[in-house]
Amino acid sequence: MNKEEKNPPISVDNIYRLNGRVPLQKAIPFGLQHVLAMFVSNLAPVLIVCSAAIVRSTGEHLTSAEITQLLQCAMFAAGIGTCMQLYPIWKIGSRLPIVMGVSFTFLGSLLVICTNPDLGYEGMVGAVILGGIFEGLVGLSAKY
């Protein structure tokens, strides 16, 4: 592999190439767009579920401070998950630049659980923990 293949020339035409290098005036807005898209997709499910959740012990909704803490936890967990994908340990991680985050997949079922006065936020947290353990075991048993 020659030097030009390792470091392709900087050009706007490289936007859609895997290892393409684009000029800084294009890279900054594209990078900001990527970061904002990651933030929205990470924070929206947490905001939707937490604004509807009922705390079983009090029967009231979560406070703004509690929702803020959960948003921070979601971003922190997404960062740890991303680092685990980039720098794998044992069988966990892919060595690929994958940005991990919160999923919209379970939004409907979490809303049903957390708005039920008999289960509430506490029941939702228990369901997430059990589901995460189950998913982790299934993931470790898969080949690829």
Side-chain angles (χ1 to χ4, degrees), residues 62-85:
L62 295 171
T63 65
S64 300
E66 291 169 332
I67 293 174
T68 302
Q69 288 177 337
L70 290 169
L71 290 170
Q72 292 172 346
C73 289
M75 293 306 294
F76 183 71
I80 289 184
T82 300
C83 288
M84 287 172 63
Q85 288 293 345

Side-chain angles (χ1 to χ4, degrees), residues 42-102:
N42 257 339
L43 301 181
V46 177
L47 281 172
I48 292 168
V49 171
C50 288
S51 62
I54 296 172
V55 180
R56 191 177 74 167
S57 58
T58 64
E60 300 197 6
H61 290 283
L62 295 171
T63 65
S64 300
E66 291 169 332
I67 293 174
T68 302
Q69 288 177 337
L70 290 169
L71 290 170
Q72 292 172 346
C73 289
M75 293 306 294
F76 183 71
I80 289 184
T82 300
C83 288
M84 287 172 63
Q85 288 293 345
L86 288 169
Y87 309 107
I89 299 170
W90 186 55
K91 292 182 178 183
I92 301 171
S94 64
R95 272 198 182 88
L96 294 172
I98 297 172
V99 177
M100 301 301 290
V102 180

Side-chain angles (χ1 to χ4, degrees), residues 7-142:
N7 297 321
I10 297 173
S11 168
V12 177
D13 299 330
N14 291 334
I15 290 175
Y16 299 108
R17 294 203 173 108
L18 179 61
N19 294 321
R21 296 173 61 196
V22 295
L24 194 58
Q25 342 29 325
K26 292 284 185 184
I28 289 175
F30 288 147
L32 286 174
Q33 177 188 18
H34 194 72
V35 168
L36 290 174
M38 289 185 297
F39 267 87
V40 170
S41 65
N42 257 339
L43 301 181
V46 177
L47 281 172
I48 292 168
V49 171
C50 288
S51 62
I54 296 172
V55 180
R56 191 177 74 167
S57 58
T58 64
E60 300 197 6
H61 290 283
L62 295 171
T63 65
S64 300
E66 291 169 332
I67 293 174
T68 302
Q69 288 177 337
L70 290 169
L71 290 170
Q72 292 172 346
C73 289
M75 293 306 294
F76 183 71
I80 289 184
T82 300
C83 288
M84 287 172 63
Q85 288 293 345
L86 288 169
Y87 309 107
I89 299 170
W90 186 55
K91 292 182 178 183
I92 301 171
S94 64
R95 272 198 182 88
L96 294 172
I98 297 172
V99 177
M100 301 301 290
V102 180
S103 174
F104 281 85
T105 307
F106 304 105
L107 195 62
S109 57
L110 291 179
L111 283 171
V112 168
I113 295 170
C114 75
T115 55
N116 182 339
D118 294 331
L119 300 172
Y121 175 76
E122 295 89 342
M124 181 190 69
V125 170
V128 168
I129 290 170
L130 289 176
I133 291 169
F134 177 74
E135 189 175 353
L137 293 174
V138 169
L140 287 174
S141 66

